[in-house]
Amino acid sequence: MSDSKQNYIDGEWRDASTGETIETTNPAAPSESVARYQQSNAEDAEEAVAAAASARDDWAATPGPKRGAILREAASILKDRKEELTELLTREEGKTHAEAGGEVQRAVDIFYYFAEKTRDLGGTVKAASGSQTNLYTVNQPVGVAALITPWNYPIAIPAWKIAPALAAGNTLVLKPATVAAGTAVAIFEALDEAGLPDGVANIVTGPGSTVGETLVSHDDVDAVSFTGSSEVGEMVYSKATDDGKRVQTELGGKNPTVVSDSVDVDEAAEIVANGAFGVTGQACTACSRAIVHADVRDEFVDRVVEHADAIEIGPGDEYDMGPQVTESELEGTLEYIDIAADEGATLETGGGRPEGERFEEGYYVEPTVFTDVEPDYRIAQEEVFGPVLAVIEVEDFETGLRVANDVDYGLAASIITENHTEAERFVDEIEAGVAKVNDGTTGLELHVPFGGFKRSSSETWREQGDAGLDFYTIEKTVYDSF
């Protein structure tokens, strides 16, 4: 019997007005039910927005350090539940135990971080032209925020939206992806236990077509933060900005790692393999293109294939790489593998579902490496949300940089090189919001800005760190000549 979770609206746990629920299953064993969530509709979303709007003024007037104390207590509660939430995340999303544990810890760290930032939310003092005037700024919350989050980081992404929104004095409604909503619900359990006032934070599960649409278009919502696919995000951005809302979107990626001829090939292959196959390739920052200098191409391919072949696939609580989250995600990855072969790419390893008794049920796919990929192939241009690496051979750094930029996306990018001039040019000229040198495309610090260029982002507001607070605050300039 699966656990049934309710919506959290105005400080109460409630069933959806539809009376219906949605079941989630374990992607490693789809016959195993994990939990049930509310199949909410527009009415539930409207109730949540009304609660947030009602609580807005009192929460905005709450001193920052007092807000921080609640965030700090919520972080402590999540920390105490870390092992339980790690197991839930693994069963619901499919990550390995180590990956899930790291993600839960990141959510804890985010709440602790923004708890401390509440002490520094004052404005700035400036010198006025007149001797009788005090000139300064104050930062005020934007108001009610609608947060829409994906399934691939089901506790970290909600955390890095919720924590700065609350720290800055906003109220909010979260619509998580129902495919893996359990750890997001746990955040609200922690906030409730920590003493968050009624209505300040609300969670409603259900379809984007009803719950998400209502949140994005609601007159009482002042800001929208969305993470998900570029196609949906662009529609969200258009709708919300038409209504005059402040909007932040973080979307897809087609992230390259440029491998120079000066590298230690073993090290380069390990960096790329970790970025391509970690979290089953289901990360918006995953490395999906290795752009490799011809002089080291053959050796690099041999080494990265060795890494791929060494990965043990299976349930996340025991193996190196877990399943994809749903059957549709698996089918999408397998379709791209077929497309790559049809286009003329050479399959070096992987390319299908693994065989064996433990793979009979789950949504497993082999770590896959293609070579002889041309830059205009779909496998080199479109986001593949699975463990698939396209190796593109180039003759020099100039060509590699041009190929790296020649896509519609610009989220994360890296270069592996011993040439300092190449590294400096890469940082200056790469069209990506995150640029790394001698490191993988995945892995983010929580206290620095995160966001993309081109179709990877609305290119408006960044997330995380001080930039995350900027989105949730509006600055007022005060001339005090009293």
Side-chain angles (χ1 to χ4, degrees):
M1 187 71 177
S2 59
D3 187 18
S4 182
K5 299 291 186 180
Q6 296 174 297
N7 292 330
Y8 184 69
I9 300 174
D10 203 16
E12 297 179 346
W13 294 100
R14 304 181 186 177
D15 290 337
S17 59
T18 63
E20 299 176 359
T21 58
I22 313 163
E23 182 183 55
T24 61
T25 59
N26 184 344
S31 61
E32 176 191 328
S33 178
V34 177
R36 302 194 74 87
Y37 300 98
Q38 301 304 306
Q39 177 78 311
S40 307
N41 62 11
E43 180 181 340
D44 302 299
E46 288 169 357
E47 289 180 359
V49 173
S54 179
R56 175 176 50 204
D57 292 344
D58 285 348
W59 183 244
T62 301
K66 187 174 181 180
R67 297 195 297 262
I70 293 173
L71 296 183
R72 192 176 303 109
E73 179 62 18
S76 179
I77 293 165
L78 291 172
K79 182 179 178 181
D80 289 344
R81 295 180 63 187
K82 180 179 176 180
E83 185 56 34
E84 169 202 345
L85 297 179
T86 296
E87 292 176 2
L88 173 60
L89 202 161
T90 293
R91 290 181 62 221
E92 203 162 62
E93 197 272 351
K95 280 187 172 74
T96 67
H97 189 274
E99 291 165 347
E103 183 180 343
V104 174
Q105 185 60 52
R106 184 179 183 84
V108 171
D109 294 343
I110 287 167
F111 270 86
Y112 276 132
Y113 173 81
F114 283 106
E116 297 310 310
K117 294 297 287 185
T118 58
R119 300 179 185 276
D120 299 319
L121 292 178
T124 58
V125 177
K126 301 292 185 179
S129 299
S131 60
Q132 301 301 312
T133 300
N134 293 319
L135 184 61
Y136 60 95
T137 67
V138 293
N139 293 322
Q140 296 184 324
V142 174
V144 176
L147 315 178
I148 302 174
T149 57
W151 51 261
N152 61 320
Y153 283 90
I155 189 169
I157 293 178
W160 80 47
K161 295 180 188 294
I162 292 167
L166 294 180
N170 298 272
T171 58
L172 62 89
V173 182
L174 173 72
K175 192 209 88 66
T178 314
V179 167
T183 50
V185 171
I187 291 176
F188 289 80
E189 293 170 345
L191 289 168
D192 182 59
E193 186 178 342
L196 189 73
D198 294 350
V200 172
N202 309 270
I203 183 171
V204 179
T205 56
S209 58
T210 52
V211 175
E213 170 66 22
T214 301
L215 296 180
V216 169
S217 61
H218 201 290
D219 288 343
D220 285 338
V221 168
D222 303 291
V224 176
S225 181
F226 173 91
T227 300
S229 72
S230 295
E231 291 76 16
V232 176
E234 286 160 3
M235 290 189 289
V236 166
Y237 181 81
S238 177
K239 175 62 180 175
T241 53
D242 283 350
D243 292 342
K245 294 176 172 56
R246 180 176 290 204
V247 187
Q248 169 192 75
T249 65
E250 296 304 338
L251 310 173
K254 193 64 185 172
N255 311 296
T257 295
V258 175
V259 180
S260 169
D261 59 345
S262 63
V263 300
D264 178 319
V265 175
D266 287 339
E267 180 182 4
E270 182 177 4
I271 290 172
V272 170
N274 289 341
F277 308 131
V279 296
T280 320
Q282 297 178 135
C284 56
T285 56
C287 176
S288 63
R289 295 181 295 151
I291 302 169
V292 184
H293 195 287
D295 288 354
V296 296
R297 181 266 192 197
D298 291 347
E299 186 180 358
F300 172 84
V301 170
D302 288 344
R303 296 294 178 271
V304 84
V305 166
E306 287 176 6
H307 280 284
D309 290 345
I311 294 171
E312 293 192 52
I313 308 168
D317 53 359
E318 297 182 56
Y319 293 91
D320 301 331
M321 191 179 90
Q324 297 216 248
V325 69
T326 61
E327 186 174 16
S328 63
E329 289 294 329
L330 172 62
E331 289 173 349
T333 298
L334 294 173
E335 181 179 356
Y336 269 110
I337 289 171
D338 289 342
I339 289 169
D342 290 344
E343 287 180 313
T346 299
L347 179 64
E348 298 288 345
T349 192
R353 303 187 65 167
E355 296 180 355
E357 186 176 343
R358 73 170 178 264
F359 307 118
E360 290 178 357
E361 253 203 290
Y363 305 130
Y364 296 105
V365 63
E366 297 167 319
T368 298
V369 178
F370 280 104
T371 58
D372 302 319
V373 176
E374 295 297 328
D376 62 347
Y377 285 3
R378 288 180 63 186
I379 198 75
Q381 290 288 323
E382 300 174 15
E383 185 174 41
V384 182
F385 223 56
V388 180
L389 177 68
V391 178
I392 303 171
E393 180 180 336
V394 293
E395 295 297 325
D396 51 41
F397 170 77
E398 298 285 348
T399 306
L401 183 59
R402 184 173 66 251
V403 170
N405 284 332
D406 190 24
V407 292
D408 291 337
Y409 300 97
L411 187 54
S414 71
I415 186 170
I416 306 172
T417 183
E418 295 301 318
N419 184 315
H420 199 262
T421 300
E422 287 181 351
E424 289 184 331
R425 281 200 56 198
F426 181 85
V427 169
D428 287 342
E429 298 178 35
I430 192 67
E431 296 168 359
V434 175
K436 295 188 175 185
V437 177
N438 294 330
D439 198 359
T441 56
T442 54
L444 303 168
E445 297 276 1
L446 61 84
H447 60 292
V448 291
F450 171 63
F453 291 179
K454 300 187 282 191
R455 288 194 73 197
S456 290
S457 170
S458 56
E459 297 187 338
T460 48
W461 305 87
R462 294 312 199 208
E463 295 193 278
Q464 305 198 106
D466 289 335
L469 289 168
D470 289 343
F471 175 69
Y472 294 106
T473 56
I474 191 164
E475 197 167 43
K476 179 185 289 185
T477 303
V478 179
Y479 294 77
D480 180 2
S481 301
F482 186 79

